[in-house]
Amino acid sequence: MADPAIAALNSLLRGASIEDQDEALKLANAAIKASKGSTSDLATARHTRVVALLKLDRFDDALRAIADGGPALEKTCALEKAYALYKTGQLAAAEAVLQAAGHTDRGLQHVTGQVAYRAEKFEQAAAIYRELADTEDGARAGEENDLRINLLATNAQLEWNGKGWAVPEAQKQPGREELEAFETAYNAACGCIARADFAKAAVFLKRARDLCEASEDLDDDEKKAELVPIILQQAYVFTRLGKLDQAAGLQKSILLSDVPDASTKAVAQCNMLVLQSETNPYMVQRLSQAIPQGAGNDRLFEYQSSILRRNRYIADLQAQKFPGVAKLTANILSKDAVPAISRATCDLGVLNAAATSELKTGKEALHSILPLLDSRPHDVGLLLTIIQLYIQLQKPGPALTLLEAFFKRLEAATAADYADVRFAPGLVALAVALYRLNGRHAAIRSELAKAATHWQKKKKAAAGSGDSLIREAGVELLRSHHPADLAAAGEAFSYLVAAQPDDRVATAGLVASFATTDFAKVQPHLDALPPVEKLTAGVDVDALIEAGVAVLPDPPVQAKKRSLEESGGDKQQQQQQPAAKKRRNRKLPKSFDPDKKPDPERWLPLRDRSSYRPKGKKGKKRAAEATQGGVVREEETLELAGGAGSVKVEKAPVGGGGGGAKKKKKGKK
């Protein structure tokens, strides 16, 4: 026979609705305490206690109550246990409970979507919310609005994480229905921020703030808590729009003591530090270290925490803490066994290079960080830093060589992750830009063709992730007249048309690719394109024929521009003909007399002039012996013996002989 206390509780629950959860918890505890055995009515009391604890936000107590109830209660309270685990941050355990319970119940599907969202599995969460919204029960009272709120938040997260391709085009642009509640307006504004549409985001944030302040369903404390993230986003949007004064005013209106969430407080402190424009790098470094780190469900998402971590490392670099930053970033990078192209990982590679080079640039920085490639050959951030330094030095050749060597290392690996990095859209775009700088246009088409082939093979594994690259590859391949390039372009556009039949660009590309080779593939898509008559409807052909060929009026003579050949020919003539030297005005001496005849011997050396008179006895003697043209030597011709010819020799002076014969002996004085 059932216990009277338990029977009374069951009767009360059937006949009344208790809004005071404390009262419901007291009744449930009293019923459980008064029971003497395990009955079916006891399970209802225990279930009531668990629900009351959850509504009182006592999630740890709810988990203990479920564990005390045994396996039977755990099976009955699968939804409550999964929700309690989700609220306490135990996401892996919550996923295990949900998988064991199955997704048959609609409530379990809602919790599954929330767990996936908090675990940053946004694609899975978006799929769950779309499935719930598309079912017949999606229009239940209150549930439709909640689904719209959650789906808008999930789409914004996909945009922030670089997966905008996973968001349908119809859901990217918010509509008027998002302006009906402050939650939907706020999430729609977040989506605009993620797409860098700050002007539209400012409109939705203002609407969200007005609706929140005018809400009658929230008390003053709840309004303050809801307004904090809205004001923070407004300050960020005004900062990006260049309205720094308005942003600073909004930031000052937030009191950190009134912010309940650790994650929201961290964002507020970071933005406040940026708007303060602190010039002391050591003070900035100290303030950045004081930003709190959340835990559990109150922690920041990965893309947010990576930004805060990057800002903290930048502050450390400005404070000259190079060894510490180099060590911390190297430790994090060493944990990645495969190359990664995520923004957070690439930022770490750049910061490590900056710390190793001690913020140097140019050749000095290259000399410091090039050896790092030997120990981290798959570090994309380090690779991009070195390529950027080469470009700044106007050396695109070594930059391209380095990138091609990186591609070869990735192609040599067999793992699928390496291939995804090899053909990442950003790296392919970098290769195309470097090929264009080096004038290698054939290599551009080859690179794009290989990348398009790779992403076409991925199909469902990465559906949509390479659509933009495939489209650009098809457009580039269409510019070639080679049959192989046109065939590759046709395959690329065929893939895009199959994925998105309404894509007119892809349809036009498919028609252009196969128009001259395979008309059978073109014919089904001709109706999707606008007819030629529609495109030429506003063109008067007869008037064009009567007008003839349009000729530009002759420009004025003084404004006539020469062609390249003429200018080149003129330059060659100028190079062949020496430039006329400018005549300089000679200055005459002050004592110049135009009536006086200049000395005709003025160009001769002084000693060769007729007016030259040497000084001293030796000078007069040398002058008497010498002539104006110099010393004249007498010569004589001597015949050689045996008829071998003759030779001219200098005639010896008279009285010649030993040089010492005519010398006076020096007497003693």
Side-chain angles (χ1 to χ4, degrees):
M1 187 173 179
D3 190 273
I6 300 176
L9 173 63
N10 292 334
S11 176
L12 182 62
L13 291 175
R14 286 192 297 267
S17 176
I18 302 176
E19 296 183 358
D20 188 354
Q21 302 302 324
D22 290 324
E23 185 66 23
L25 181 60
K26 289 180 182 179
L27 290 174
N29 288 332
I32 295 172
K33 187 176 181 180
S35 65
K36 298 179 181 179
S38 177
T39 62
S40 59
D41 293 332
L42 181 60
T44 304
R46 287 176 174 173
H47 194 180
T48 303
R49 180 175 66 173
V50 171
V51 173
L53 290 171
L54 289 177
K55 291 189 176 183
L56 291 171
D57 294 342
R58 295 170 57 180
F59 304 109
D60 293 325
D61 294 338
L63 290 173
R64 282 191 291 270
I66 294 173
D68 294 341
L73 184 61
E74 288 188 3
K75 186 176 181 180
T76 304
C77 297
L79 172 64
E80 290 79 0
K81 183 178 181 180
Y83 183 75
L85 291 171
Y86 156 71
K87 295 296 288 186
T88 54
Q90 304 178 54
L91 302 180
E95 288 181 351
V97 172
L98 291 169
Q99 289 178 359
H103 297 166
T104 56
D105 185 71
R106 192 172 182 84
L108 289 173
Q109 287 182 306
H110 276 281
V111 178
T112 303
Q114 291 177 338
V115 171
Y117 179 86
R118 185 64 258 189
E120 302 191 28
K121 300 177 181 179
F122 302 115
E123 296 176 64
Q124 178 183 352
I128 292 173
Y129 290 137
R130 292 191 185 100
E131 182 181 356
L132 289 172
D134 293 339
T135 57
E136 296 180 357
D137 297 334
R140 290 181 180 178
E143 187 177 358
E144 184 179 4
N145 189 48
D146 292 340
L147 287 174
R148 185 185 296 114
I149 293 171
N150 294 341
L151 187 57
L152 285 171
T154 307
N155 290 340
Q157 293 286 1
L158 287 171
E159 295 276 4
W160 265 316
N161 284 270
K163 296 181 179 180
W165 48 265
V167 181
E169 292 294 332
Q171 297 179 5
K172 286 187 177 182
Q173 298 300 327
R176 297 187 61 86
E177 59 273 9
E178 275 74 35
L179 298 173
E180 297 175 358
F182 76 90
E183 297 95 340
T184 55
Y186 174 76
N187 289 341
C190 290
C192 294
I193 294 173
R195 291 187 295 273
D197 190 356
F198 299 109
K200 187 176 291 185
V203 175
F204 279 90
L205 286 172
K206 184 179 184 304
R207 176 64 175 173
R209 184 174 181 178
D210 294 341
L211 290 174
C212 183
E213 292 175 345
S215 177
E216 298 179 356
D217 299 332
L218 303 175
D219 56 25
D220 293 339
D221 294 336
E222 291 175 340
K223 285 182 181 180
K224 286 182 180 180
E226 295 289 349
L227 282 173
V228 168
I230 298 175
I231 296 175
L232 283 176
Q233 292 288 32
Q234 278 187 310
Y236 174 76
V237 169
F238 284 144
T239 303
R240 296 300 301 269
L241 291 175
K243 302 177 181 179
L244 301 181
D245 294 337
Q246 298 183 33
L250 289 172
Q251 195 69 41
K252 291 179 182 179
S253 66
I254 298 176
L255 298 177
L256 295 179
S257 58
D258 295 340
V259 181
D261 301 333
S263 58
T264 308
K265 186 177 292 186
V267 175
Q269 287 185 249
C270 180
N271 294 348
M272 191 177 298
L273 181 61
V274 173
L275 291 172
Q276 282 178 353
S277 300
E278 178 65 48
T279 57
N280 188 344
Y282 301 98
M283 182 60 68
V284 173
Q285 191 268 340
R286 183 176 180 181
L287 292 174
S288 64
Q289 294 291 336
I291 296 177
Q293 300 291 328
N297 283 349
D298 201 14
R299 70 182 187 277
L300 294 170
F301 289 99
E302 177 59 28
Y303 77 92
Q304 292 175 313
S305 60
S306 64
I307 293 174
L308 291 181
R309 179 177 57 193
R310 181 188 63 194
N311 293 346
R312 190 179 298 113
Y313 287 152
I314 291 174
D316 292 343
L317 290 175
Q318 292 177 343
Q320 306 295 313
K321 295 190 175 184
F322 303 123
V325 176
K327 182 178 180 180
L328 290 173
T329 53
N331 290 338
I332 299 175
L333 290 171
S334 62
K335 298 178 182 179
D336 294 332
V338 297
I341 55 175
S342 63
R343 182 183 303 176
T345 306
C346 291
D347 287 345
L348 290 175
V350 175
L351 292 169
N352 182 266
T356 304
S357 63
E358 298 183 354
L359 298 181
K360 296 177 182 177
T361 58
K363 295 182 180 180
E364 294 181 351
L366 283 173
H367 181 73
S368 303
I369 64 178
L370 273 174
L372 296 177
L373 277 179
D374 298 333
S375 58
R376 301 202 307 270
H378 301 312
D379 189 345
V380 179
L382 175 62
L383 174 74
L384 296 178
T385 304
I386 297 175
I387 290 176
Q388 180 67 23
L389 290 173
Y390 274 128
I391 296 300
Q392 290 178 350
L393 293 173
Q394 297 183 357
K395 294 182 178 180
L400 181 57
T401 303
L402 201 66
L403 183 61
E404 289 179 336
F406 177 73
F407 284 166
K408 289 181 180 179
R409 290 195 296 269
L410 295 179
E411 291 172 356
T414 57
D417 296 335
Y418 286 77
D420 291 343
V421 176
R422 163 62 182 88
F423 296 107
L427 293 179
V428 173
L430 175 61
V432 169
L434 291 176
Y435 282 136
R436 186 171 286 113
L437 283 176
N438 288 271
R440 297 171 57 180
H441 299 286
I444 293 176
R445 290 190 291 270
S446 175
E447 177 69 19
L448 290 174
K450 291 190 293 184
T453 303
H454 168 77
W455 289 112
Q456 290 174 46
K457 292 180 180 178
K458 295 293 290 185
K459 292 184 179 180
K460 294 183 180 180
S465 57
D467 285 357
S468 61
L469 190 147
I470 295 173
R471 181 179 287 102
E472 295 301 325
V475 172
E476 182 66 27
L477 292 171
L478 272 179
R479 297 174 181 172
S480 172
H481 298 289
H482 197 278
D485 293 337
L486 293 177
E491 293 179 2
F493 287 121
S494 298
Y495 172 83
L496 294 175
V497 170
Q500 298 180 0
D502 298 334
D503 191 345
R504 289 192 173 186
V505 175
T507 304
L510 188 149
V511 172
S513 302
F514 295 114
T516 58
T517 57
D518 194 347
F519 187 75
K521 293 182 178 180
V522 172
Q523 192 171 4
H525 303 283
L526 292 177
D527 295 336
L529 298 177
V532 178
E533 292 77 8
K534 184 178 180 181
L535 297 175
T536 60
V539 179
D540 191 349
V541 179
D542 296 333
L544 289 175
I545 295 175
E546 292 179 0
V549 179
V551 179
L552 295 176
D554 294 335
V557 177
Q558 61 272 16
K560 182 179 180 181
K561 293 185 179 181
R562 295 173 295 175
S563 63
L564 182 61
E565 293 78 4
E566 293 176 355
S567 60
D570 293 345
K571 289 182 180 180
Q572 292 179 358
Q573 292 178 3
Q574 291 177 4
Q575 293 176 359
Q576 293 175 0
Q577 296 179 1
K581 294 183 179 179
K582 184 178 180 181
R583 298 186 64 180
R584 297 172 58 185
N585 295 326
R586 302 290 181 179
K587 292 184 179 181
L588 298 176
K590 294 181 180 180
S591 60
F592 175 74
D593 187 2
D595 298 332
K596 185 179 178 180
K597 185 179 180 180
D599 186 6
E601 295 182 351
R602 65 185 183 276
W603 308 114
L604 298 177
L606 186 62
R607 66 176 60 190
D608 293 341
R609 298 179 187 180
S610 58
S611 60
Y612 175 69
R613 296 293 181 267
K615 296 179 181 181
K617 294 181 180 180
K618 291 183 179 181
K620 292 179 180 180
K621 184 178 180 182
R622 284 196 297 268
E625 293 177 353
T627 63
Q628 184 175 353
V631 178
V632 177
R633 304 283 184 182
E634 294 185 3
E635 295 179 350
E636 61 179 347
T637 302
L638 299 179
E639 299 290 338
L640 298 177
S646 61
V647 64
K648 290 183 179 182
V649 296
E650 182 181 345
K651 187 176 181 179
V654 180
K662 290 187 177 181
K663 288 183 179 178
K664 264 187 181 179
K665 289 186 179 180
K666 223 171 187 181
K668 293 183 179 179
K669 292 183 179 179

mmCIF file of all heavy atoms in Angstrom, residues 456-477:
data_model
loop_
_atom_site.group_PDB
_atom_site.id
_atom_site.type_symbol
_atom_site.label_atom_id
_atom_site.label_comp_id
_atom_site.label_asym_id
_atom_site.label_seq_id
_atom_site.Cartn_x
_atom_site.Cartn_y
_atom_site.Cartn_z
ATOM 1 N N GLN A 456 36.582 19.088 -55.207
ATOM 2 C CA GLN A 456 35.459 18.355 -55.792
ATOM 3 C C GLN A 456 35.401 16.926 -55.256
ATOM 4 O O GLN A 456 34.321 16.364 -55.076
ATOM 5 C CB GLN A 456 35.580 18.336 -57.313
ATOM 6 C CG GLN A 456 35.342 19.696 -57.967
ATOM 7 C CD GLN A 456 35.610 19.660 -59.453
ATOM 8 O OE1 GLN A 456 35.170 18.755 -60.154
ATOM 9 N NE2 GLN A 456 36.349 20.644 -59.947
ATOM 10 N N LYS A 457 36.560 16.346 -54.967
ATOM 11 C CA LYS A 457 36.588 14.983 -54.443
ATOM 12 C C LYS A 457 36.145 14.916 -52.988
ATOM 13 O O LYS A 457 35.727 13.858 -52.513
ATOM 14 C CB LYS A 457 37.994 14.406 -54.568
ATOM 15 C CG LYS A 457 38.432 14.154 -56.014
ATOM 16 C CD LYS A 457 39.836 13.591 -56.057
ATOM 17 C CE LYS A 457 40.290 13.333 -57.497
ATOM 18 N NZ LYS A 457 41.681 12.815 -57.561
ATOM 19 N N LYS A 458 36.247 16.038 -52.267
ATOM 20 C CA LYS A 458 35.870 16.022 -50.855
ATOM 21 C C LYS A 458 34.372 15.781 -50.678
ATOM 22 O O LYS A 458 33.952 15.080 -49.765
ATOM 23 C CB LYS A 458 36.253 17.351 -50.197
ATOM 24 C CG LYS A 458 37.740 17.608 -50.144
ATOM 25 C CD LYS A 458 38.461 16.639 -49.234
ATOM 26 C CE LYS A 458 38.128 16.886 -47.800
ATOM 27 N NZ LYS A 458 38.905 16.024 -46.883
ATOM 28 N N LYS A 459 33.559 16.396 -51.543
ATOM 29 C CA LYS A 459 32.104 16.234 -51.527
ATOM 30 C C LYS A 459 31.540 16.460 -50.127
ATOM 31 O O LYS A 459 31.713 17.513 -49.541
ATOM 32 C CB LYS A 459 31.723 14.847 -52.069
ATOM 33 C CG LYS A 459 32.017 14.699 -53.557
ATOM 34 C CD LYS A 459 31.544 13.366 -54.072
ATOM 35 C CE LYS A 459 31.814 13.226 -55.565
ATOM 36 N NZ LYS A 459 31.363 11.937 -56.096
ATOM 37 N N LYS A 460 30.901 15.469 -49.553
ATOM 38 C CA LYS A 460 30.207 15.637 -48.284
ATOM 39 C C LYS A 460 31.162 15.826 -47.113
ATOM 40 O O LYS A 460 30.777 16.358 -46.083
ATOM 41 C CB LYS A 460 29.300 14.430 -48.011
ATOM 42 C CG LYS A 460 28.141 14.296 -48.984
ATOM 43 C CD LYS A 460 27.260 13.127 -48.605
ATOM 44 C CE LYS A 460 26.093 12.985 -49.576
ATOM 45 N NZ LYS A 460 25.221 11.854 -49.211
ATOM 46 N N ALA A 461 32.394 15.362 -47.253
ATOM 47 C CA ALA A 461 33.339 15.505 -46.147
ATOM 48 C C ALA A 461 33.606 16.958 -45.810
ATOM 49 O O ALA A 461 33.851 17.320 -44.675
ATOM 50 C CB ALA A 461 34.650 14.806 -46.485
ATOM 51 N N ALA A 462 33.561 17.809 -46.806
ATOM 52 C CA ALA A 462 33.765 19.245 -46.569
ATOM 53 C C ALA A 462 32.885 20.023 -47.527
ATOM 54 O O ALA A 462 33.349 20.853 -48.282
ATOM 55 C CB ALA A 462 35.222 19.614 -46.734
ATOM 56 N N ALA A 463 31.609 19.702 -47.518
ATOM 57 C CA ALA A 463 30.691 20.291 -48.486
ATOM 58 C C ALA A 463 30.662 21.801 -48.338
ATOM 59 O O ALA A 463 30.410 22.320 -47.265
ATOM 60 C CB ALA A 463 29.297 19.711 -48.278
ATOM 61 N N GLY A 464 30.937 22.487 -49.430
ATOM 62 C CA GLY A 464 30.858 23.933 -49.436
ATOM 63 C C GLY A 464 32.116 24.650 -49.014
ATOM 64 O O GLY A 464 32.241 25.851 -49.226
ATOM 65 N N SER A 465 33.085 23.960 -48.386
ATOM 66 C CA SER A 465 34.260 24.650 -47.868
ATOM 67 C C SER A 465 35.151 25.190 -48.966
ATOM 68 O O SER A 465 35.863 26.154 -48.757
ATOM 69 C CB SER A 465 35.071 23.700 -46.973
ATOM 70 O OG SER A 465 35.440 22.542 -47.704
ATOM 71 N N GLY A 466 35.129 24.577 -50.159
ATOM 72 C CA GLY A 466 35.984 25.052 -51.236
ATOM 73 C C GLY A 466 35.220 25.586 -52.419
ATOM 74 O O GLY A 466 35.784 25.687 -53.518
ATOM 75 N N ASP A 467 33.943 25.948 -52.231
ATOM 76 C CA ASP A 467 33.126 26.407 -53.358
ATOM 77 C C ASP A 467 33.667 27.698 -53.961
ATOM 78 O O ASP A 467 33.683 27.868 -55.180
ATOM 79 C CB ASP A 467 31.677 26.612 -52.901
ATOM 80 C CG ASP A 467 30.953 25.279 -52.705
ATOM 81 O OD1 ASP A 467 31.574 24.234 -52.985
ATOM 82 O OD2 ASP A 467 29.787 25.291 -52.282
ATOM 83 N N SER A 468 34.097 28.615 -53.122
ATOM 84 C CA SER A 468 34.631 29.877 -53.650
ATOM 85 C C SER A 468 35.885 29.639 -54.473
ATOM 86 O O SER A 468 36.081 30.252 -55.531
ATOM 87 C CB SER A 468 34.930 30.837 -52.499
ATOM 88 O OG SER A 468 35.897 30.279 -51.621
ATOM 89 N N LEU A 469 36.734 28.717 -54.009
ATOM 90 C CA LEU A 469 37.950 28.415 -54.769
ATOM 91 C C LEU A 469 37.617 27.723 -56.080
ATOM 92 O O LEU A 469 38.222 28.017 -57.125
ATOM 93 C CB LEU A 469 38.882 27.537 -53.922
ATOM 94 C CG LEU A 469 40.294 27.307 -54.452
ATOM 95 C CD1 LEU A 469 41.266 27.183 -53.291
ATOM 96 C CD2 LEU A 469 40.388 26.045 -55.307
ATOM 97 N N ILE A 470 36.659 26.803 -56.060
ATOM 98 C CA ILE A 470 36.270 26.106 -57.282
ATOM 99 C C ILE A 470 35.705 27.093 -58.296
ATOM 100 O O ILE A 470 35.988 27.008 -59.499
ATOM 101 C CB ILE A 470 35.249 24.991 -56.948
ATOM 102 C CG1 ILE A 470 35.899 23.916 -56.078
ATOM 103 C CG2 ILE A 470 34.698 24.372 -58.220
ATOM 104 C CD1 ILE A 470 34.931 22.871 -55.574
ATOM 105 N N ARG A 471 34.917 28.054 -57.837
ATOM 106 C CA ARG A 471 34.345 29.054 -58.747
ATOM 107 C C ARG A 471 35.451 29.904 -59.387
ATOM 108 O O ARG A 471 35.454 30.135 -60.603
ATOM 109 C CB ARG A 471 33.355 29.935 -57.996
ATOM 110 C CG ARG A 471 32.690 30.983 -58.887
ATOM 111 C CD ARG A 471 31.704 31.827 -58.109
ATOM 112 N NE ARG A 471 30.488 31.082 -57.786
ATOM 113 C CZ ARG A 471 30.218 30.551 -56.587
ATOM 114 N NH1 ARG A 471 31.075 30.703 -55.594
ATOM 115 N NH2 ARG A 471 29.109 29.880 -56.372
ATOM 116 N N GLU A 472 36.396 30.383 -58.581
ATOM 117 C CA GLU A 472 37.481 31.202 -59.124
ATOM 118 C C GLU A 472 38.374 30.394 -60.054
ATOM 119 O O GLU A 472 38.875 30.916 -61.060
ATOM 120 C CB GLU A 472 38.305 31.789 -57.980
ATOM 121 C CG GLU A 472 37.544 32.774 -57.110
ATOM 122 C CD GLU A 472 37.024 33.953 -57.902
ATOM 123 O OE1 GLU A 472 37.712 34.392 -58.855
ATOM 124 O OE2 GLU A 472 35.927 34.445 -57.583
ATOM 125 N N ALA A 473 38.563 29.120 -59.722
ATOM 126 C CA ALA A 473 39.366 28.267 -60.609
ATOM 127 C C ALA A 473 38.684 28.091 -61.957
ATOM 128 O O ALA A 473 39.330 28.142 -63.014
ATOM 129 C CB ALA A 473 39.601 26.912 -59.946
ATOM 130 N N GLY A 474 37.377 27.886 -61.934
ATOM 131 C CA GLY A 474 36.653 27.758 -63.195
ATOM 132 C C GLY A 474 36.723 29.012 -64.046
ATOM 133 O O GLY A 474 36.907 28.946 -65.266
ATOM 134 N N VAL A 475 36.589 30.171 -63.414
ATOM 135 C CA VAL A 475 36.668 31.432 -64.167
ATOM 136 C C VAL A 475 38.049 31.607 -64.792
ATOM 137 O O VAL A 475 38.180 32.032 -65.945
ATOM 138 C CB VAL A 475 36.324 32.613 -63.233
ATOM 139 C CG1 VAL A 475 36.589 33.942 -63.933
ATOM 140 C CG2 VAL A 475 34.871 32.533 -62.785
ATOM 141 N N GLU A 476 39.101 31.277 -64.041
ATOM 142 C CA GLU A 476 40.459 31.426 -64.571
ATOM 143 C C GLU A 476 40.723 30.437 -65.703
ATOM 144 O O GLU A 476 41.364 30.779 -66.704
ATOM 145 C CB GLU A 476 41.470 31.217 -63.436
ATOM 146 C CG GLU A 476 42.920 31.385 -63.846
ATOM 147 C CD GLU A 476 43.261 32.802 -64.249
ATOM 148 O OE1 GLU A 476 42.597 33.741 -63.764
ATOM 149 O OE2 GLU A 476 44.197 32.970 -65.069
ATOM 150 N N LEU A 477 40.233 29.212 -65.552
ATOM 151 C CA LEU A 477 40.458 28.210 -66.600
ATOM 152 C C LEU A 477 39.692 28.549 -67.872
ATOM 153 O O LEU A 477 40.106 28.155 -68.971
ATOM 154 C CB LEU A 477 40.048 26.828 -66.085
ATOM 155 C CG LEU A 477 40.932 26.244 -64.974
ATOM 156 C CD1 LEU A 477 40.309 24.978 -64.404
ATOM 157 C CD2 LEU A 477 42.326 25.943 -65.499
#
